[in-house]
Amino acid sequence: MPLVLIEHSGGQVDELSQQALALARGFATGEPVNALLVGPEAQDAAAALGAQGVATAYVAEHDGLDSYAPLAWARSLAELAERTSASSVIAAGSERGNEVLGHLGAITGLPLAANCIAAEPGEPATVTRVRWGGSLLEEARLHGAVKLLTVQPHAVEATPADQPGAGAVESFAPSLGEADLAIRVLERQATDTGGVSLSDAKVVISGGRGTGSAEGFAPIEELATLLSGAVGCSRAVTIAGWRPHTDQVGQTGTKIAPDIYIACGISGATQHMAGCKGAKRILAINSDPEASIMQNADYAVIGDLHEVVPAIAAEVRKARGA
Ligand code: FAD
C-alpha cells in the first residue's frame, strides 16, 4: 500500500500534500493509504486524515525531529516503508518533498520520478511527469520494488476521498543516528510577507526588471496590502538583489496557484511562467505589447507600471470609499 509523506502547518494538512494524497489514492487502486507526519502539531494534522482516505497516520517521534531535517525524514520514511511493506512512497513535489524523496532514493537505491501529474500502477508503473520547467510532459516507466514519486504542485486536484480510511493515528519512533541529523533547521527568520505566504496567496502581484529598482516595488507592495495579496518577483529581480529569493516565482522559485496573478514589468520567460501557470487568471502590466507574457495573459494593460499600478490602487480605494 502507498505511504504518503504529509507536510502540514498549524495542525492543518498542506494543500500540496492533499494533492499528493489524491494521486496516491488513484495509484493504490483500492488498497488503503498510510501516511507519515513529522514535526510539531503533527498529531492534530494526523487526526484529520481518515476523511482523506488514510488508514493509519504515523507520527514520527524523536527529539531530533522537532525541526526540518531532510535526511532524518528520509531515514524515517525508509524505516516505515519497510515496516508497512509499502508498495510506493509518495510526497508533494514541494521543495521539501523533492529533497526528502531524493535522499530516500539515495538511501534505498530506488529510482525516483519527480513532479508526476499522473501515475498508473504496474510492473513497471507508468508515470507522466513535468520536465524542463513545464515545457514538456514525459511519459516514463518507473521500476523498483517500491515506487518513489513526487507530485507536481497544482497539477492534481485535491479531491476528497470517495471512502474515508480507518483514520488510526500511531506514534512511530524511527531509529536515527547523529549523522542523520547533521542537516537540520536550527533557526527561522520570518519574512515580511504581512502574513500571506506566496504559495498559498489568492492574489499575487509580482514585479520584474521593469520595476527598475528595489524602491520600484513600493506601489506593488501597496497594492498587495490593499488586496491582501503576496508580493512576488522574477529572477532578474532576485539576481539584481532587489528582493530575496523567497519572493521569486518560477522554475527555480516558488510555484504559485492564485486566483489572480498580476505580473508587472515581467517579460514572461518560460522559466517564469513555469511558476505561475497554476494561476486561474493572469493580468500583465507591461509597456511592450509584444512581450511574450501577452500570450499567456487573460488581461493586459499596456503602459508604464509606475503609472498603472498606483492607478489601480487608487481605483480600489475609491471603490471601497476610502
Ligand atoms: P526581462 O525579461 O528583462 O523583462 C522585463 C519586462 O519589463 C519587459 O517585458 C519590458 O517590456 C517590461 N518593462 C520595462 N519597463 C517597464 C515599465 N516601466 N512598465 C511596464 N513594463 C516595463 N526567471 C524567473 O522569473 N523565475 C525563475 O524561477 C527562473 N528560473 C530560471 C532558471 C534557469 C535555469 C534559467 C536559465 C533562467 C531562469 N529564469 C527565471 C530567468 C528567465 O529566463 C528570465 O531571464 C527572467 O524571468 C526575466 O525576468 P524579467 O521578466 O523581470 O526581465
PDB file of all heavy atoms in Angstrom, residues 23-29 90 113 116-122 125-129 140 142 147 149-151 156:
ATOM      1  N   LEU A  23      -3.440  11.762  -5.631  1.00  0.00           N
ATOM      2  CA  LEU A  23      -2.765  10.913  -6.627  1.00  0.00           C
ATOM      3  C   LEU A  23      -2.490   9.524  -6.034  1.00  0.00           C
ATOM      4  O   LEU A  23      -2.672   8.501  -6.696  1.00  0.00           O
ATOM      5  CB  LEU A  23      -1.462  11.567  -7.093  1.00  0.00           C
ATOM      6  CG  LEU A  23      -0.747  10.769  -8.199  1.00  0.00           C
ATOM      7  CD1 LEU A  23      -0.290  11.684  -9.333  1.00  0.00           C
ATOM      8  CD2 LEU A  23       0.434   9.993  -7.665  1.00  0.00           C
ATOM      9  N   ALA A  24      -2.102   9.499  -4.750  1.00  0.00           N
ATOM     10  CA  ALA A  24      -1.774   8.209  -4.101  1.00  0.00           C
ATOM     11  C   ALA A  24      -2.999   7.300  -4.057  1.00  0.00           C
ATOM     12  O   ALA A  24      -2.889   6.095  -4.278  1.00  0.00           O
ATOM     13  CB  ALA A  24      -1.237   8.455  -2.694  1.00  0.00           C
ATOM     14  N   ARG A  25      -4.176   7.878  -3.791  1.00  0.00           N
ATOM     15  CA  ARG A  25      -5.391   7.050  -3.727  1.00  0.00           C
ATOM     16  C   ARG A  25      -5.667   6.410  -5.085  1.00  0.00           C
ATOM     17  O   ARG A  25      -6.031   5.247  -5.175  1.00  0.00           O
ATOM     18  CB  ARG A  25      -6.596   7.885  -3.268  1.00  0.00           C
ATOM     19  CG  ARG A  25      -6.559   8.238  -1.781  1.00  0.00           C
ATOM     20  CD  ARG A  25      -7.922   8.749  -1.333  1.00  0.00           C
ATOM     21  NE  ARG A  25      -8.370   9.906  -2.086  1.00  0.00           N
ATOM     22  CZ  ARG A  25      -8.173  11.171  -1.733  1.00  0.00           C
ATOM     23  NH1 ARG A  25      -7.547  11.458  -0.602  1.00  0.00           N
ATOM     24  NH2 ARG A  25      -8.608  12.160  -2.480  1.00  0.00           N
ATOM     25  N   GLY A  26      -5.458   7.165  -6.161  1.00  0.00           N
ATOM     26  CA  GLY A  26      -5.662   6.616  -7.507  1.00  0.00           C
ATOM     27  C   GLY A  26      -4.628   5.545  -7.818  1.00  0.00           C
ATOM     28  O   GLY A  26      -4.925   4.526  -8.436  1.00  0.00           O
ATOM     29  N   PHE A  27      -3.404   5.741  -7.353  1.00  0.00           N
ATOM     30  CA  PHE A  27      -2.300   4.811  -7.614  1.00  0.00           C
ATOM     31  C   PHE A  27      -2.506   3.515  -6.815  1.00  0.00           C
ATOM     32  O   PHE A  27      -2.039   2.451  -7.206  1.00  0.00           O
ATOM     33  CB  PHE A  27      -0.992   5.494  -7.203  1.00  0.00           C
ATOM     34  CG  PHE A  27       0.243   4.816  -7.710  1.00  0.00           C
ATOM     35  CD1 PHE A  27       0.433   4.615  -9.064  1.00  0.00           C
ATOM     36  CD2 PHE A  27       1.234   4.398  -6.839  1.00  0.00           C
ATOM     37  CE1 PHE A  27       1.588   3.993  -9.541  1.00  0.00           C
ATOM     38  CE2 PHE A  27       2.384   3.782  -7.300  1.00  0.00           C
ATOM     39  CZ  PHE A  27       2.562   3.581  -8.653  1.00  0.00           C
ATOM     40  N   ALA A  28      -3.234   3.629  -5.694  1.00  0.00           N
ATOM     41  CA  ALA A  28      -3.390   2.486  -4.797  1.00  0.00           C
ATOM     42  C   ALA A  28      -4.396   1.468  -5.329  1.00  0.00           C
ATOM     43  O   ALA A  28      -4.348   0.301  -4.958  1.00  0.00           O
ATOM     44  CB  ALA A  28      -3.859   2.971  -3.428  1.00  0.00           C
ATOM     45  N   THR A  29      -5.289   1.907  -6.205  1.00  0.00           N
ATOM     46  CA  THR A  29      -6.364   1.057  -6.743  1.00  0.00           C
ATOM     47  C   THR A  29      -7.019   0.176  -5.674  1.00  0.00           C
ATOM     48  O   THR A  29      -6.940  -1.052  -5.715  1.00  0.00           O
ATOM     49  CB  THR A  29      -5.867   0.152  -7.909  1.00  0.00           C
ATOM     50  OG1 THR A  29      -4.784  -0.628  -7.428  1.00  0.00           O
ATOM     51  CG2 THR A  29      -5.469   0.949  -9.110  1.00  0.00           C
ATOM     52  N   ILE A  90       5.138   8.296  -1.643  1.00  0.00           N
ATOM     53  CA  ILE A  90       4.706   9.437  -2.453  1.00  0.00           C
ATOM     54  C   ILE A  90       4.755  10.702  -1.601  1.00  0.00           C
ATOM     55  O   ILE A  90       4.388  10.679  -0.415  1.00  0.00           O
ATOM     56  CB  ILE A  90       3.267   9.186  -2.976  1.00  0.00           C
ATOM     57  CG1 ILE A  90       3.265   7.918  -3.861  1.00  0.00           C
ATOM     58  CG2 ILE A  90       2.726  10.393  -3.740  1.00  0.00           C
ATOM     59  CD1 ILE A  90       1.899   7.481  -4.351  1.00  0.00           C
ATOM     60  N   ALA A 113      10.721   9.191  -9.487  1.00  0.00           N
ATOM     61  CA  ALA A 113      10.126  10.010 -10.554  1.00  0.00           C
ATOM     62  C   ALA A 113       9.568  11.264  -9.887  1.00  0.00           C
ATOM     63  O   ALA A 113       8.625  11.185  -9.100  1.00  0.00           O
ATOM     64  CB  ALA A 113       9.014   9.242 -11.257  1.00  0.00           C
ATOM     65  N   CYS A 116       5.333  14.263 -10.844  1.00  0.00           N
ATOM     66  CA  CYS A 116       4.367  13.496 -11.651  1.00  0.00           C
ATOM     67  C   CYS A 116       3.010  14.196 -11.631  1.00  0.00           C
ATOM     68  O   CYS A 116       2.616  14.803 -10.635  1.00  0.00           O
ATOM     69  CB  CYS A 116       4.195  12.094 -11.071  1.00  0.00           C
ATOM     70  SG  CYS A 116       5.714  11.143 -11.114  1.00  0.00           S
ATOM     71  N   ILE A 117       2.288  14.076 -12.743  1.00  0.00           N
ATOM     72  CA  ILE A 117       0.908  14.578 -12.766  1.00  0.00           C
ATOM     73  C   ILE A 117      -0.089  13.423 -12.876  1.00  0.00           C
ATOM     74  O   ILE A 117      -1.281  13.616 -12.708  1.00  0.00           O
ATOM     75  CB  ILE A 117       0.673  15.588 -13.911  1.00  0.00           C
ATOM     76  CG1 ILE A 117       0.915  14.944 -15.272  1.00  0.00           C
ATOM     77  CG2 ILE A 117       1.557  16.816 -13.754  1.00  0.00           C
ATOM     78  CD1 ILE A 117       0.376  15.802 -16.411  1.00  0.00           C
ATOM     79  N   ALA A 118       0.425  12.233 -13.185  1.00  0.00           N
ATOM     80  CA  ALA A 118      -0.433  11.040 -13.260  1.00  0.00           C
ATOM     81  C   ALA A 118       0.445   9.820 -13.064  1.00  0.00           C
ATOM     82  O   ALA A 118       1.640   9.857 -13.389  1.00  0.00           O
ATOM     83  CB  ALA A 118      -1.127  10.962 -14.625  1.00  0.00           C
ATOM     84  N   ALA A 119      -0.148   8.764 -12.501  1.00  0.00           N
ATOM     85  CA  ALA A 119       0.630   7.532 -12.272  1.00  0.00           C
ATOM     86  C   ALA A 119      -0.300   6.338 -12.338  1.00  0.00           C
ATOM     87  O   ALA A 119      -1.374   6.348 -11.742  1.00  0.00           O
ATOM     88  CB  ALA A 119       1.315   7.601 -10.906  1.00  0.00           C
ATOM     89  N   GLU A 120       0.107   5.341 -13.105  1.00  0.00           N
ATOM     90  CA  GLU A 120      -0.657   4.093 -13.237  1.00  0.00           C
ATOM     91  C   GLU A 120       0.170   2.991 -12.603  1.00  0.00           C
ATOM     92  O   GLU A 120       1.346   2.826 -12.955  1.00  0.00           O
ATOM     93  CB  GLU A 120      -0.842   3.741 -14.718  1.00  0.00           C
ATOM     94  CG  GLU A 120      -1.808   4.626 -15.469  1.00  0.00           C
ATOM     95  CD  GLU A 120      -3.242   4.422 -15.024  1.00  0.00           C
ATOM     96  OE1 GLU A 120      -3.591   3.282 -14.657  1.00  0.00           O
ATOM     97  OE2 GLU A 120      -4.000   5.416 -15.007  1.00  0.00           O
ATOM     98  N   PRO A 121      -0.440   2.193 -11.700  1.00  0.00           N
ATOM     99  CA  PRO A 121       0.343   1.121 -11.088  1.00  0.00           C
ATOM    100  C   PRO A 121       0.695   0.046 -12.119  1.00  0.00           C
ATOM    101  O   PRO A 121       0.074  -0.034 -13.175  1.00  0.00           O
ATOM    102  CB  PRO A 121      -0.596   0.575 -10.008  1.00  0.00           C
ATOM    103  CG  PRO A 121      -1.959   0.972 -10.432  1.00  0.00           C
ATOM    104  CD  PRO A 121      -1.829   2.218 -11.241  1.00  0.00           C
ATOM    105  N   GLY A 122       1.686  -0.775 -11.808  1.00  0.00           N
ATOM    106  CA  GLY A 122       2.093  -1.865 -12.709  1.00  0.00           C
ATOM    107  C   GLY A 122       3.555  -2.156 -12.509  1.00  0.00           C
ATOM    108  O   GLY A 122       4.236  -1.483 -11.731  1.00  0.00           O
ATOM    109  N   ALA A 125       5.585   0.685 -13.217  1.00  0.00           N
ATOM    110  CA  ALA A 125       4.486   1.661 -13.204  1.00  0.00           C
ATOM    111  C   ALA A 125       4.694   2.643 -14.371  1.00  0.00           C
ATOM    112  O   ALA A 125       5.806   2.787 -14.884  1.00  0.00           O
ATOM    113  CB  ALA A 125       4.476   2.411 -11.887  1.00  0.00           C
ATOM    114  N   THR A 126       3.620   3.284 -14.774  1.00  0.00           N
ATOM    115  CA  THR A 126       3.728   4.307 -15.821  1.00  0.00           C
ATOM    116  C   THR A 126       3.430   5.658 -15.187  1.00  0.00           C
ATOM    117  O   THR A 126       2.410   5.811 -14.514  1.00  0.00           O
ATOM    118  CB  THR A 126       2.688   4.043 -16.933  1.00  0.00           C
ATOM    119  OG1 THR A 126       2.881   2.707 -17.408  1.00  0.00           O
ATOM    120  CG2 THR A 126       2.850   5.010 -18.089  1.00  0.00           C
ATOM    121  N   VAL A 127       4.312   6.606 -15.395  1.00  0.00           N
ATOM    122  CA  VAL A 127       4.074   7.938 -14.824  1.00  0.00           C
ATOM    123  C   VAL A 127       4.163   8.997 -15.925  1.00  0.00           C
ATOM    124  O   VAL A 127       4.895   8.824 -16.901  1.00  0.00           O
ATOM    125  CB  VAL A 127       5.098   8.286 -13.709  1.00  0.00           C
ATOM    126  CG1 VAL A 127       4.942   7.356 -12.521  1.00  0.00           C
ATOM    127  CG2 VAL A 127       6.529   8.252 -14.222  1.00  0.00           C
ATOM    128  N   THR A 128       3.384  10.057 -15.753  1.00  0.00           N
ATOM    129  CA  THR A 128       3.527  11.228 -16.621  1.00  0.00           C
ATOM    130  C   THR A 128       4.067  12.332 -15.739  1.00  0.00           C
ATOM    131  O   THR A 128       3.511  12.601 -14.670  1.00  0.00           O
ATOM    132  CB  THR A 128       2.162  11.655 -17.198  1.00  0.00           C
ATOM    133  OG1 THR A 128       1.560  10.520 -17.795  1.00  0.00           O
ATOM    134  CG2 THR A 128       2.326  12.755 -18.229  1.00  0.00           C
ATOM    135  N   ARG A 129       5.166  12.915 -16.162  1.00  0.00           N
ATOM    136  CA  ARG A 129       5.755  13.933 -15.294  1.00  0.00           C
ATOM    137  C   ARG A 129       6.201  15.169 -16.067  1.00  0.00           C
ATOM    138  O   ARG A 129       6.456  15.110 -17.272  1.00  0.00           O
ATOM    139  CB  ARG A 129       6.911  13.357 -14.482  1.00  0.00           C
ATOM    140  CG  ARG A 129       8.076  12.862 -15.306  1.00  0.00           C
ATOM    141  CD  ARG A 129       8.966  12.007 -14.430  1.00  0.00           C
ATOM    142  NE  ARG A 129      10.255  11.774 -15.056  1.00  0.00           N
ATOM    143  CZ  ARG A 129      11.408  12.090 -14.488  1.00  0.00           C
ATOM    144  NH1 ARG A 129      11.448  12.638 -13.301  1.00  0.00           N
ATOM    145  NH2 ARG A 129      12.538  11.838 -15.113  1.00  0.00           N
ATOM    146  N   ALA A 140       6.892   8.047 -18.642  1.00  0.00           N
ATOM    147  CA  ALA A 140       8.062   7.232 -18.296  1.00  0.00           C
ATOM    148  C   ALA A 140       7.625   5.966 -17.586  1.00  0.00           C
ATOM    149  O   ALA A 140       6.517   5.888 -17.044  1.00  0.00           O
ATOM    150  CB  ALA A 140       9.003   8.036 -17.390  1.00  0.00           C
ATOM    151  N   LEU A 142       8.410   3.507 -14.469  1.00  0.00           N
ATOM    152  CA  LEU A 142       9.094   3.603 -13.174  1.00  0.00           C
ATOM    153  C   LEU A 142       9.270   2.199 -12.599  1.00  0.00           C
ATOM    154  O   LEU A 142       8.302   1.512 -12.295  1.00  0.00           O
ATOM    155  CB  LEU A 142       8.278   4.497 -12.224  1.00  0.00           C
ATOM    156  CG  LEU A 142       8.834   4.651 -10.811  1.00  0.00           C
ATOM    157  CD1 LEU A 142      10.242   5.266 -10.832  1.00  0.00           C
ATOM    158  CD2 LEU A 142       7.903   5.530  -9.962  1.00  0.00           C
ATOM    159  N   LYS A 147       7.890   2.012  -5.438  1.00  0.00           N
ATOM    160  CA  LYS A 147       7.894   3.132  -6.394  1.00  0.00           C
ATOM    161  C   LYS A 147       7.990   4.444  -5.611  1.00  0.00           C
ATOM    162  O   LYS A 147       7.178   4.699  -4.716  1.00  0.00           O
ATOM    163  CB  LYS A 147       6.612   3.141  -7.242  1.00  0.00           C
ATOM    164  CG  LYS A 147       6.280   1.779  -7.883  1.00  0.00           C
ATOM    165  CD  LYS A 147       7.274   1.414  -8.958  1.00  0.00           C
ATOM    166  CE  LYS A 147       6.942   0.111  -9.660  1.00  0.00           C
ATOM    167  NZ  LYS A 147       7.103  -1.101  -8.834  1.00  0.00           N
ATOM    168  N   LEU A 149       7.768   8.482  -5.843  1.00  0.00           N
ATOM    169  CA  LEU A 149       7.399   9.581  -6.731  1.00  0.00           C
ATOM    170  C   LEU A 149       6.915  10.810  -5.965  1.00  0.00           C
ATOM    171  O   LEU A 149       6.397  10.693  -4.861  1.00  0.00           O
ATOM    172  CB  LEU A 149       6.369   9.138  -7.777  1.00  0.00           C
ATOM    173  CG  LEU A 149       5.115   8.404  -7.359  1.00  0.00           C
ATOM    174  CD1 LEU A 149       3.936   9.320  -7.490  1.00  0.00           C
ATOM    175  CD2 LEU A 149       4.917   7.220  -8.263  1.00  0.00           C
ATOM    176  N   THR A 150       7.125  11.962  -6.590  1.00  0.00           N
ATOM    177  CA  THR A 150       6.569  13.206  -6.040  1.00  0.00           C
ATOM    178  C   THR A 150       5.559  13.757  -7.045  1.00  0.00           C
ATOM    179  O   THR A 150       5.599  13.435  -8.233  1.00  0.00           O
ATOM    180  CB  THR A 150       7.654  14.273  -5.743  1.00  0.00           C
ATOM    181  OG1 THR A 150       8.285  14.672  -6.958  1.00  0.00           O
ATOM    182  CG2 THR A 150       8.689  13.763  -4.760  1.00  0.00           C
ATOM    183  N   VAL A 151       4.652  14.583  -6.537  1.00  0.00           N
ATOM    184  CA  VAL A 151       3.504  15.036  -7.324  1.00  0.00           C
ATOM    185  C   VAL A 151       3.674  16.528  -7.648  1.00  0.00           C
ATOM    186  O   VAL A 151       3.849  17.355  -6.738  1.00  0.00           O
ATOM    187  CB  VAL A 151       2.196  14.804  -6.538  1.00  0.00           C
ATOM    188  CG1 VAL A 151       0.987  15.257  -7.341  1.00  0.00           C
ATOM    189  CG2 VAL A 151       2.065  13.325  -6.174  1.00  0.00           C
ATOM    190  N   VAL A 156      -2.672  18.219  -9.775  1.00  0.00           N
ATOM    191  CA  VAL A 156      -3.655  17.189  -9.423  1.00  0.00           C
ATOM    192  C   VAL A 156      -4.627  17.830  -8.441  1.00  0.00           C
ATOM    193  O   VAL A 156      -4.207  18.482  -7.487  1.00  0.00           O
ATOM    194  CB  VAL A 156      -2.962  15.980  -8.735  1.00  0.00           C
ATOM    195  CG1 VAL A 156      -3.971  14.951  -8.268  1.00  0.00           C
ATOM    196  CG2 VAL A 156      -1.937  15.355  -9.668  1.00  0.00           C
TER     197      VAL A 156
END
